[in-house]
Amino acid sequence: MFEITLAGPGKNALGTETMTALLAKLAEANGAPVLLTGSGDAFSAGLNLKEVALLEAPAMLTFLDLLERMMTALYLYPAPTVAAVNGHAIAGGCIVAMCCDRRVVSSNPRIKIGVNEVALGVEYPPRTFEIVRRRVPSQHLEEVVLGAGLFDPTNALRVGLVDEIAEDAVAVARERLAMFAAHPTTAYMAAKRAIRGSKPSDLVAEATQADLLRAAVPTWTSQVVKEKLAKILAR
């Protein structure tokens, strides 16, 4: 078992450094079962808005490409992955948890989980959205994505953002990972590949990925979004 702890400023916000570190840790895990959790009292509060607010188009494209590579690497990681959602998992943080094979959330009713990109006014990067589309049950997809709300653990379970609630999420997540890891490795990996694919183009074809990603950038760098980010950061 290989344990990865998301750690960074702003409640483990996903900035360039944090995302690069997660990619490096997945490479280091090298096919071992992975337990993913967050440092302190949060899983991840989403993207690093301080960094996002400073980026203009060329740098934003690079940032979103890194986000896509991180999400895709975790979603397509061949061995078992379990997320111990020990605190808030918002926007990108929620999607990181979605990438894992199973998601166990703490029973703390103050925890908030959800994807609020639509409320912020930004367009999902294409492969990241495809992960959301695949992982949220179809009957709840519009409520989760278009409603753009944040859910407590009970309602996160209802809409399929997590798989179970536990008083000690990390301990239960370790148990679930051990259960998955007990299956024959080759059979588990083959079944996971059959469900998810094995390469990024199985999510969104290379022929359209670059165009779709570039098309999303203006929503992230618009003046309207920058003003919203400034208000959020001021709070």
Side-chain angles (χ1 to χ4, degrees):
M1 182 186 299
F2 192 91
E3 296 195 12
I4 299 175
T5 301
L6 295 169
K11 300 293 184 181
N12 309 324
L14 301 171
T16 296
E17 185 175 340
T18 306
M19 292 190 289
T20 301
L22 179 54
L23 279 169
K25 285 292 186 181
L26 287 173
E28 185 181 345
N30 194 31
V34 167
L35 175 73
L36 183 63
T37 192
S39 176
D41 62 355
F43 183 76
S44 173
L47 296 187
N48 186 330
L49 299 184
K50 289 184 178 179
E51 183 175 356
V52 170
L54 296 174
L55 299 177
E56 298 302 336
M60 184 64 76
L61 182 60
T62 299
F63 182 88
L64 293 179
D65 179 67
L66 175 60
L67 175 68
E68 290 272 80
R69 288 190 287 115
M70 179 201 69
M71 295 293 189
T72 302
L74 182 57
Y75 180 73
L76 297 177
Y77 186 78
T81 56
V82 176
V85 183
N86 57 309
H88 296 320
I90 297 170
C94 179
I95 301 171
V96 166
M98 282 188 207
C99 289
C100 295
D101 302 356
R102 192 166 183 88
R103 302 146 297 174
V104 184
V105 65
S106 167
S107 56
N108 183 347
R110 292 189 295 274
I111 288 175
K112 297 299 180 186
I113 306 165
V115 286
N116 59 355
E117 281 81 352
V118 168
L120 183 59
V122 297
E123 188 173 324
Y124 286 85
R127 285 176 177 152
T128 297
F129 182 75
E130 179 61 16
I131 292 168
V132 174
R133 190 187 68 78
R134 292 184 181 195
R135 293 292 280 152
V136 178
S138 58
Q139 68 269 30
H140 297 300
L141 185 61
E142 292 190 3
E143 178 183 0
V144 168
V145 173
L146 302 183
L150 301 179
F151 302 89
D152 61 23
T154 299
N155 282 298
L157 180 63
R158 176 183 63 82
V159 298
L161 292 177
V162 297
D163 298 298
E164 62 182 304
I165 301 170
E167 185 173 349
D168 188 339
V170 175
V172 172
R174 287 196 182 105
E175 292 175 5
R176 300 297 175 262
L177 187 60
M179 178 186 71
F180 287 146
H183 297 314
T185 301
T186 54
Y188 190 96
M189 290 182 174
K192 189 170 179 179
R193 281 196 305 270
I195 293 169
R196 299 191 179 187
S198 60
K199 55 189 183 300
S201 59
D202 291 329
L203 294 173
V204 175
E206 295 293 349
T208 56
Q209 168 69 12
D211 289 342
L212 290 173
L213 189 58
R214 278 195 298 269
V217 168
T219 68
W220 289 80
T221 57
S222 71
Q223 187 59 36
V224 171
V225 167
K226 286 186 179 295
E227 289 172 359
K228 286 186 176 182
L229 292 179
K231 289 179 181 178
I232 294 169
L233 292 170
R235 295 202 295 266

